[in-house]
Each structure stands twice: as structure tokens, then as C-alpha cells.
Amino acid sequence: MMEMDNRIEAIHAGLQAIVGVDQVFAGSATERWSRDWTGQFEGQPLAVVRPANRDEVAAILRLAGQYHVPVVPIAGNTGLNGGAYGPEAILVSIERMNRIREIRNDARVAIVEAGVIVAALDSAAAQHGLTFPLAFGAAGSAMIGGVLSTNAGGANVLRYGNVRDLCLGLEVVLPDGSVLDLMTALKKDNSGFDLRDLIIGAEGQLGIITAAILKLHPRPLFHATALVALEDLSVAPALLNAFQDASGNAVTAYEFMSRSYVAGYEALVPAGRRFFDVSYPAVLLVELATVRNEELGEILETVLADALERGILVDAVVAQSDTQRQEMWALREAAAELAFQRHPVIDTDVAVPLDRIPDYLDRIPEIMAAIDPGFTDIAVAHFGDGNIHYTVWPSGSDPAVEAALRAAIDALAVEMDGTFSAEHGIGLCKLPSMARHKNTVALDMMRAIKAAFDPGNILNPGKTLPGVNVG
Amino acid sequence: MMEMDNRIEAIHAGLQAIVGVDQVFAGSATERWSRDWTGQFEGQPLAVVRPANRDEVAAILRLAGQYHVPVVPIAGNTGLNGGAYGPEAILVSIERMNRIREIRNDARVAIVEAGVIVAALDSAAAQHGLTFPLAFGAAGSAMIGGVLSTNAGGANVLRYGNVRDLCLGLEVVLPDGSVLDLMTALKKDNSGFDLRDLIIGAEGQLGIITAAILKLHPRPLFHATALVALEDLSVAPALLNAFQDASGNAVTAYEFMSRSYVAGYEALVPAGRRFFDVSYPAVLLVELATVRNEELGEILETVLADALERGILVDAVVAQSDTQRQEMWALREAAAELAFQRHPVIDTDVAVPLDRIPDYLDRIPEIMAAIDPGFTDIAVAHFGDGNIHYTVWPSGSDPAVEAALRAAIDALAVEMDGTFSAEHGIGLCKLPSMARHKNTVALDMMRAIKAAFDPGNILNPGKTLPGVNVG
């Protein structure tokens, strides 16, 4: 015991020597990082440390290697699957590395440190008429290092791709403290294996991202936004094509919300705007955006009127002001808050080919009911990406029932040529599905890569890859 | 010697047992594969074998592992850097695996075998109003497996990205004969490390691609094409922005040709169309394309007239027919033929930030002259991607001079925040630059990945990664 205390003291002293006494936190002072907002993960880290720069990150990793202590990088702490859960680990918070080093207007790139908050980068880009178009509810807290490590998606993937598609260059500190410098702003670079894309989405298993070069896009000047009500979701793919064709692919968001989701929002936010008098089976938020004024509003209204006349949709509300647009987005963006208001909760992010979403949503409630007849649910989807967030509250709190519900949600997606993990990553929550559904050759290769980068298994151990034991 | 002959006989017999007697070639019958069209690489393989499917590829790799014989995959044999050079290796030609399994019109994806020729896929897509938009001179011979393994680029990257951006799913046979099944058509899939992008561009070091799921795009119905003459290339970035802004980002190609290139074309193709009476310092081929008719021709002419009036450009010819469009492209697409008509030749594919292209092209001739005063050159560039193909013919045939010229071309690109390898890959030609310029941490990680995938170093040994010895 004494020996253990001495070891912990030595680690704390070592960390203080690297980052300064003020930037090492222990005991109750770690609460801000050691508990996640979903309420699912809480555990006392050995220490939280806030390095100021890449070299301090490298020194921390070398120290951790010396003492064989696990290191868990943490950014905005907005993940949903426990990826930043680090009991008895050194939690490395990158929040102080939050400088936007440069925005190159002509080249449309930003050079940023990993602790920059997503919304802050977009605000800075806006001053140049540009946008960093990653859009999801947690954009005001999530940081670049975190969204890169999880290859985050969100509501604008349809137009701009995942974070992977927005990244040109990376700076990464590897587990042994060496620096992998991939900081290029080039659109074409075929000099060897694609290490950049290997690091993106690796959930901090292979290295800690400390800086990045990101693409910016021209900031849309004109938006046209509407909520559309459908009796039958099966018409949604054709309606999306109608919007795309009429607008020349100007659709930036095409977001589905289930009847139960809209009802849940109205209960959660009693003062929130009500858009329809009737409760419809399916509501879609559609948004078109462009840098040129091509009468987007007219295009939107024409497609809507035509679809209404043909009985494809049953109701629609077009935003008449920016306030109304914000109100529509407020409805959609409450999804995570709504999901995690009650526990236990099973929050998922499966994907299927987009034309199979209606079929998936038809079939899944029966499957849930067979396991737990008293379950309740809501569903939203980034429809244009085939990505469904299906959320279930079990009627009781039996872990075996929870596991069975989660397994069934994932299994149906896989059965329908989809994936059990579209955008939130694996973390801890999805290790069983990863073991069950990911092909074993791929898992073997991932484990081999992990071992090559991190032979001591120091970085974020016990997550992402089933069968890699905590070091 | 007898023992060696026995070993070779046993390998041939083993290969014949896998693919059939007709599909194994030796001696002079291998010439079609063992000599590349650039005239730079020629070497007698142990055998050429043409498997019919994935399982035969796997069996070949297992056989090769047993006998410790190197395996070199070969597709269209259109590479420029010796990536498919396989003396004393088993050359695995994928040409018989050439079935387009399915084109899904609504989902805009194609499921293809790796031996499908790029132009054949585009023709098949055209029947659905779609396009596979990879555009380069060798599209009529290059195969999907080859362009994926080299992450090929070409003239339309500006609009559609590299091949990496066109690929959703992959099937890969690993060196031990196991099959890595990543055949998903999903736009979002965050289930573990990004093995797909690791395989793309790996030059056959990690596995042999046998099938892929590729994105298709709506086929542009309207093109507007022009050749533009400039006195000073430094205005080219601003002119590109003018085209993009006026057309709503409809530019699909923005291709630079040097004065010496145009002269070289006129000498090579005496019957080819002449567009200008005067020899200008810089010519650009610009093309706009759209699925909707937005008066693209008018937009093009308006921008050109405005730029002419402001003295930005000195001359322009707008294609008045599809024939004229084809003639303009014939001028641009002769680049490889022009480069390899004389030997020795140094053909390169550096990239720099696009606004530095003019500076690069200003500086490089002096650097060449300092090494070899009698050198001659041509230059073309995928200007919008920052990607320059600078071709030099040395005055003599001293390998040391050749190496010095190549090294200087690559070094200047790296000095200007660029890369020595934008799109052709490393192969054999660029191993010295890879050793000189790639950061050592990245190289170490690549070697570790190579060792994890291919511990026997059987696949395409001695290429791509300096310091990995032939097995």
C-alpha cells in the first residue's frame, strides 16, 4: 500500500514537473472530467493533466510508459459511448491547446490546435465568409481533437461529409512520445500509407491528436428550411431526390423525427414552438443552402407544393425568418438531451442503406417488444446518410434486458447490410457488437495495428477493440 | 541448380492447379505484363498468373507464402513508377476479374471486380445517367484495382476528389490468404480503424484488392470548355476563383500546359488542332459541367470577356462543339505519351499549395540548368489541385545527373510546403525521395504496419517503403 502510494506520488510529481503544479488535478477536483454528461460513466482518474502543447503531451506519454499507467485523452467530454472514461488512468485534457493558429482565406483552410471548440472555429471562419460545416448538438463543447478521433458526423454530412472529409493534415503524438507530423494542406499526397485516415476515428488508440489542418467551405448565404410531415416514411428517399434535383444538390440537411420524438420534445420543452396541430407519423427537417441566391425559397416551395398535390406529404411549414429556422433546429437538436433525461437508456447510431430506413423503423419496435413489452422509444435519423439514432428506454433496469435490446438494434442493422456504428464510435458501449459483428480478419488487423503503434497498450486501453486486454 | 529448377516447376504446377493450365504464363509469353509501356521497367517474372476470382487469389498467396516467392499484383500496367515491376516474382494479373456485378441507380453505387477497366465502368454508369468521374489519359486501360492501389487522381479531382473519395467498400486478400471483407455501401461506418483508406494507396503492399463498391455521380449533361492563354500564370488562382464563383463551383477541370508542352504536342501530333496563332507562356484548359442547364456557356463567356478586358488573360478559345471539346482534351491528354517518347526521362508529380505553382515553375528551370545546362522540359498541372507534372529530359544519360535532377524537383516541392508524390505513388522511382523527405516517424509506422500485415514481406517487396528489404 505504501509502495503504491509512493508510485502515485511519483507520477503526480512527474506530471507537475511537465505541466506545472496548477495543471494537475486529483481527487474531487477531477469531477468535471471524470463524469460524463450522459450519466453513464463516472470513475476516479489517477490524475487529470492539462498540457499546454505538443511537447508536454509527449512528455506525459513517456512518463506514463515508464510507470505503465494508462493514458486516456479527453476533449469536450461530449462522447456518448464512454470513449473518454478513464478510471485510474491519466486523463489528458487537451482544452488548453485551443489556439486557431491561422485561417488561410484563399486556400480555405484552418490550422488549429486540437482543443479548439467546433463552434468557435466556425465563428472564426464566418469572419472570412467561410464555414467549418460540422453540425451537431454538442458543437458548442466538442473539440477538434475529439471529433477527429471519433470521425464525428452530424446533420450536414449529406453535403460536406464526415470530419474525415474535412481534414487535410494532422499532428499526432504517438504512445512512445514521438511526433507524427502529417501537417500538410495538400489535396493530393500519395507518399506512402494513409496514416492520417488511420488516426482519424481511431478513438485515441493510436496516438493523441494535437493539431490539425482543416478544410473550410464557402459559407452559405441563403438558407431555405422547412418541416415536412409524412403519413408514410417510405416516400422520403424519392422526396430527397426531388429536392436535390430541383436545387442542383443544394440540400444540406434532411433530418427525420419520429412521432414519439416530437411528442417527447414537446414534453421536455413546454415553451418550445409547435409547428403542427396534428401529431404526424414522420416529420422531416429539410434545409437547402447556397452561396448564390438562386431563389432557394421558391425552389423549396415548388417542390413542397408539388409533393403536397401528389399526396406524397401531408403537411409542411416553411421557415419565414431566421428565428423560425432556429426554432426548427431546436426541435431536432434536442435529441441527445431527450435521450439521456431518463435512465437506463439505450442510445444507438446504426446505419442502413437509406432506402431501407422505413423498413428498419417498421420492424424494430416489434423486436423490442418481444424482449421487453413495456419499452418506450424515440427515433431520429440523418436520413440522407442512412444513419438512425434509435433510442430505447427499457421498462425496468435489468442489465440483461438492456444488453439484449442493444444487441437486437445492432443486429437488425447488420442484417440489413448496415452497421452497428455509424458515427458515435465504439468506446465501451459497443464492444459486444464489435466482437459479434465485425469480421474477424478486420479485427485481427486492427489489433495488429494497435500492437504496432502501442506495444505497451497504454493509450485508452480496453476500448474500441474487443480482445485487447487492459495493459 | 537442379533443386532450383525443381522448386520453380513445383510453383508452376501449384499455380496451374489453382487457376488452370491456360492461365499460367512463363518465359516469353509473359511479355505483355513484364514490360511497362513507359519503357523504364522490364524484367522476367517467375510466372504470370490470371486468377478468376478472390479464392484463387487467396490460394496463390498461400502458395507463394509456402515457397517464399514474392507476389506482385498487376492491373492495367499503366503505372509510371514501376509499382508493378516483378522480376522473379509471381505476377498476379487481375484482368479476368472484370465483372461489373451491379449498378444501383438510386443509391448511385457500383459493385465491381477489381479488373474492371475505368472507362468501361464509366460507360456502364452512363447508361444510368451516372458517371464514374475518374479522368486521365490511361482510363481506357487502367483497372479499378490498380487505381485504388495507387489512389489515382487525374483531371477531375478538383470536383470529385481522388479515387479514395470515390470508394465506399473493398474486398482485399491479405498476404496470408485470408479475406478482409469491407464491402459496405454505407456513407457512415465508424466501426473501428479505417482499414479501407489504409489499403487504398498502399500500392499492393498490404493486400490484393479483388472487388470494390464505388460511388457514382450524376452525369453532367452540359459542358462548357475553353482554352485560355495567359502571359503570366500568377493570375491563374484568381481566375479559377472567378470561374467557381460565377458558376457556383461548377468547374470540373482547370488544367495548365506550358509553352514547351504545347510546342511538344504540335511536334508529336502534326495533324492535331492548333488553337492559337501565337505561342503563349501559359495555356489553361477550363471546363465547367452541370446536370442542369444554367447557361454554362454564357457564364464561361462572361468570365472570359471580363478577364480579357481587365488584361488578366490574353486570348481564349471556347469549344463550339463536342468535337472541339474533344480536340482540346486531346491536347491535354497527350502528356504521358509526350513525356515517354524520349529516354532517359524524368517524369514527376509533385504538389504545392496551388497559389505557389507559378513560383515553383519560375524557379525550377534555373535549378535544372545548374545541374544540366542542356536539359529540356515540359510542364502540365492539375492547377486546381496544386499538382504539377514537370517532365525533364537530361541532355545525356548519366544516371547520377538523372538522380540529381529528380531529387531537385522533389526537394523544391517539399521546400514549398508540398509533396514529392501527389498522385503516381512511390513504386521504385521515388524510393530515394521517400527516404529523404518523409518524416521518419511516419516511415517507422508504415514499416510496422507492413510487418503486421505481411510478416514474410511477400507482397510487392522492395517498393514504396525504403528500408524494407526484399524478402
Side-chain angles (χ1 to χ4, degrees):
Chain A
M1 195 62 191
M2 183 63 84
E3 209 168 285
M4 204 199 226
D5 284 352
N6 286 345
R7 182 169 165 270
I8 292 174
E9 266 174 38
I11 293 168
H12 278 192
L15 291 172
Q16 288 175 347
I18 295 166
V19 297
V21 177
D22 295 356
Q23 303 300 340
V24 181
F25 304 84
S28 62
T30 66
E31 196 180 295
R32 177 151 77 85
W33 302 277
S34 60
R35 178 192 291 180
D36 84 337
W37 74 270
T38 72
Q40 297 178 110
F41 296 97
E42 182 171 1
Q44 181 61 50
L46 194 68
V48 173
V49 55
R50 304 199 309 167
N53 56 50
R54 174 189 86 177
D55 293 344
E56 290 185 4
V57 173
I60 293 164
L61 281 164
R62 282 191 296 266
L63 182 82
Q66 242 175 298
Y67 285 96
H68 305 288
V69 192
V71 171
V72 176
I74 187 164
N77 200 11
T78 63
L80 298 174
N81 289 324
Y85 176 62
E88 294 175 47
I90 300 171
L91 272 188
V92 177
S93 166
I94 58 169
E95 69 198 274
R96 288 173 67 215
M97 300 165 58
N98 63 356
R99 213 160 50 91
I100 297 173
R101 290 187 190 152
E102 193 182 351
I103 289 183
R104 288 197 204 141
N105 203 343
D106 284 350
R108 295 178 175 169
V109 298
I111 305 175
V112 302
E113 295 176 355
V116 168
I117 287 174
V118 169
L121 175 56
D122 188 46
S123 296
Q127 294 173 24
H128 298 264
L130 300 171
T131 181
F132 181 67
L134 183 65
F136 56 93
S141 317
M143 295 171 190
I144 295 302
V147 297
L148 284 167
S149 291
T150 53
N151 187 28
N156 286 351
V157 171
L158 183 62
R159 172 80 154 266
Y160 300 103
N162 294 292
V163 170
R164 184 182 302 291
D165 302 301
L166 299 173
C167 180
L168 292 168
L170 281 184
E171 178 188 79
V172 187
V173 181
L174 298 182
D176 68 356
S178 59
V179 175
L180 180 61
D181 181 353
L182 306 171
M183 289 289 274
T184 136
L186 302 168
K187 295 207 175 140
K188 282 175 152 182
D189 186 0
N190 277 350
S191 55
F193 302 163
D194 180 9
L195 299 178
R196 177 190 67 198
D197 284 306
L198 186 61
I199 299 289
I200 296 173
E203 304 187 5
Q205 292 291 330
L206 305 178
I208 298 181
I209 297 169
T210 49
I213 301 184
L214 301 169
K215 288 185 203 167
L216 303 174
H217 285 268
R219 196 169 192 87
L221 298 176
F222 305 96
H223 292 92
T225 311
L227 286 180
V228 175
L230 306 178
E231 283 294 350
D232 178 357
L233 189 60
S234 66
V235 301
L239 186 60
L240 173 58
N241 287 343
F243 285 120
Q244 293 286 35
D245 291 346
S247 68
N249 290 319
V251 180
T252 46
Y254 195 66
E255 298 285 309
F256 161 76
M257 291 164 275
S258 70
R259 188 201 300 262
S260 56
Y261 177 84
V262 175
Y265 175 80
E266 293 178 353
L268 183 73
V269 190
R273 173 83 185 278
R274 304 289 178 268
F275 297 96
F276 300 114
D277 297 332
V278 183
S279 157
Y280 291 112
V283 172
L284 289 162
L285 188 165
V286 57
E287 186 156 280
L288 314 181
T290 178
V291 292
R292 302 193 307 160
N293 187 354
E294 297 187 79
E295 289 90 34
L296 270 190
E298 269 177 48
I299 291 171
L300 181 68
E301 301 217 11
T302 304
V303 175
L304 290 174
D306 179 60
L308 195 59
E309 194 171 310
R310 291 164 57 205
I312 290 172
L313 57 87
V314 290
D315 206 347
V317 182
V318 176
Q320 301 298 333
S321 66
D322 198 54
T323 305
Q324 286 184 18
R325 180 181 167 233
Q326 301 305 333
E327 287 167 344
M328 290 182 179
W329 276 106
L331 168 64
R332 172 61 187 86
E333 283 182 344
E337 200 185 339
L338 201 46
F340 291 101
Q341 65 176 329
R342 280 162 55 194
H343 290 271
V345 58
I346 297 151
D347 179 62
T348 62
D349 67 313
V350 301
V352 294
L354 74 90
D355 55 351
R356 305 192 69 179
I357 290 181
D359 191 22
Y360 184 94
L361 292 172
D362 271 354
R363 288 168 65 184
I364 195 69
E366 276 178 47
I367 297 172
M368 296 293 99
I371 298 168
D372 177 5
F375 85 101
T376 48
D377 67 4
I378 54 173
V380 295
H382 307 301
F383 198 100
D385 311 316
N387 180 189
I388 305 166
H389 296 301
Y390 184 62
T391 300
V392 170
W393 295 284
S395 58
S397 56
D398 179 346
V401 171
E402 277 177 53
L405 292 168
R406 177 181 288 278
I409 292 168
D410 290 355
L412 182 62
V414 172
E415 186 195 317
M416 293 172 73
D417 298 328
T419 179
F420 55 91
S421 183
E423 64 176 7
H424 294 167
I426 307 302
L428 284 169
C429 293
K430 280 187 278 186
L431 281 176
S433 288
M434 190 76 165
R436 203 174 289 129
H437 298 297
K438 195 75 190 177
N439 89 55
T440 54
V441 175
L443 278 177
D444 284 345
M445 285 304 110
M446 290 179 197
R447 290 187 196 108
I449 291 166
K450 169 70 172 170
F453 275 71
D454 185 15
N457 195 21
I458 276 184
L459 259 177
N460 220 355
K463 296 170 194 159
T464 312
L465 302 177
V468 177
N469 295 325
V470 175
Chain B
M1 194 60 192
M2 182 63 83
E3 212 169 283
M4 200 197 230
D5 286 352
N6 286 344
R7 182 170 165 269
I8 292 173
E9 266 174 38
I11 292 167
H12 278 190
L15 291 173
Q16 288 174 347
I18 294 166
V19 298
V21 177
D22 294 358
Q23 302 301 339
V24 181
F25 304 84
S28 61
T30 65
E31 195 180 294
R32 176 152 78 83
W33 302 277
S34 60
R35 177 191 292 180
D36 85 335
W37 74 269
T38 72
Q40 295 178 112
F41 296 98
E42 184 172 0
Q44 181 62 49
L46 193 67
V48 173
V49 54
R50 304 199 310 167
N53 55 50
R54 174 191 88 177
D55 293 344
E56 291 184 5
V57 172
I60 294 163
L61 281 163
R62 283 192 296 265
L63 182 84
Q66 242 176 298
Y67 287 96
H68 305 288
V69 192
V71 170
V72 176
I74 185 163
N77 200 11
T78 62
L80 298 172
N81 289 324
Y85 176 63
E88 295 175 49
I90 299 172
L91 273 187
V92 177
S93 166
I94 59 169
E95 69 198 274
R96 288 174 66 216
M97 300 165 56
N98 64 355
R99 213 159 51 90
I100 297 174
R101 291 187 192 153
E102 194 183 349
I103 289 183
R104 287 197 206 142
N105 202 341
D106 284 350
R108 292 174 177 173
V109 299
I111 306 176
V112 302
E113 295 177 355
V116 168
I117 288 174
V118 169
L121 175 57
D122 189 45
S123 297
Q127 294 173 23
H128 299 263
L130 300 172
T131 181
F132 181 68
L134 183 66
F136 56 92
S141 318
M143 295 170 191
I144 295 301
V147 297
L148 284 167
S149 291
T150 52
N151 187 27
N156 286 351
V157 171
L158 184 60
R159 172 80 155 266
Y160 300 102
N162 294 292
V163 170
R164 183 183 303 290
D165 302 300
L166 299 173
C167 180
L168 293 167
L170 281 183
E171 178 187 80
V172 187
V173 181
L174 299 182
D176 68 357
S178 58
V179 175
L180 180 61
D181 182 352
L182 307 171
M183 287 290 273
T184 135
L186 303 168
K187 296 209 174 138
K188 282 174 153 183
D189 186 359
N190 277 351
S191 54
F193 302 164
D194 181 10
L195 299 178
R196 178 190 65 198
D197 284 306
L198 186 61
I199 299 288
I200 296 173
E203 304 187 5
Q205 291 292 329
L206 304 178
I208 297 182
I209 295 168
T210 50
I213 301 184
L214 301 170
K215 287 185 205 167
L216 303 174
H217 285 268
R219 195 169 192 86
L221 298 175
F222 305 97
H223 292 92
T225 311
L227 286 179
V228 175
L230 307 177
E231 283 295 348
D232 178 358
L233 190 59
S234 67
V235 301
L239 186 59
L240 173 58
N241 288 342
F243 284 121
Q244 293 285 35
D245 291 346
S247 67
N249 291 318
V251 180
T252 46
Y254 195 67
E255 298 285 311
F256 161 77
M257 291 164 273
S258 71
R259 187 201 301 262
S260 56
Y261 177 84
V262 176
Y265 175 80
E266 293 178 353
L268 182 75
V269 189
R273 173 82 185 276
R274 303 291 179 266
F275 298 94
F276 300 114
D277 297 332
V278 183
S279 158
Y280 291 112
V283 172
L284 289 162
L285 189 165
V286 58
E287 186 157 280
L288 314 182
T290 177
V291 291
R292 304 194 303 159
N293 188 354
E294 297 186 79
E295 287 91 37
L296 270 189
E298 270 177 46
I299 292 172
L300 181 68
E301 301 217 10
T302 304
V303 176
L304 290 174
D306 179 62
L308 195 59
E309 193 171 309
R310 291 162 57 205
I312 291 171
L313 57 87
V314 289
D315 205 346
V317 182
V318 176
Q320 301 297 334
S321 66
D322 198 56
T323 305
Q324 284 183 22
R325 181 181 166 232
Q326 301 305 333
E327 287 167 346
M328 289 181 180
W329 276 105
L331 168 64
R332 172 59 187 85
E333 284 182 344
E337 198 185 342
L338 201 47
F340 291 102
Q341 65 177 329
R342 280 163 53 195
H343 290 269
V345 59
I346 297 152
D347 178 61
T348 62
D349 67 313
V350 301
V352 294
L354 74 90
D355 55 351
R356 307 192 68 178
I357 289 181
D359 191 22
Y360 184 95
L361 292 172
D362 270 355
R363 289 168 64 185
I364 196 68
E366 276 177 46
I367 297 172
M368 297 294 99
I371 299 167
D372 177 6
F375 85 101
T376 49
D377 67 4
I378 54 173
V380 294
H382 308 301
F383 199 99
D385 311 315
N387 179 191
I388 304 166
H389 295 300
Y390 184 63
T391 299
V392 170
W393 295 283
S395 59
S397 54
D398 179 346
V401 170
E402 277 177 55
L405 291 168
R406 177 181 288 277
I409 292 168
D410 290 354
L412 182 61
V414 172
E415 186 194 318
M416 293 174 75
D417 298 327
T419 178
F420 54 90
S421 183
E423 62 174 10
H424 294 167
I426 306 303
L428 284 169
C429 292
K430 281 187 277 188
L431 281 176
S433 288
M434 190 75 164
R436 203 173 289 126
H437 298 298
K438 194 75 191 176
N439 88 55
T440 56
V441 176
L443 278 177
D444 284 345
M445 286 302 111
M446 290 179 198
R447 289 185 196 110
I449 292 167
K450 169 70 172 171
F453 274 72
D454 186 14
N457 195 20
I458 277 183
L459 261 178
N460 221 356
K463 298 170 192 159
T464 313
L465 302 178
V468 177
N469 294 326
V470 176

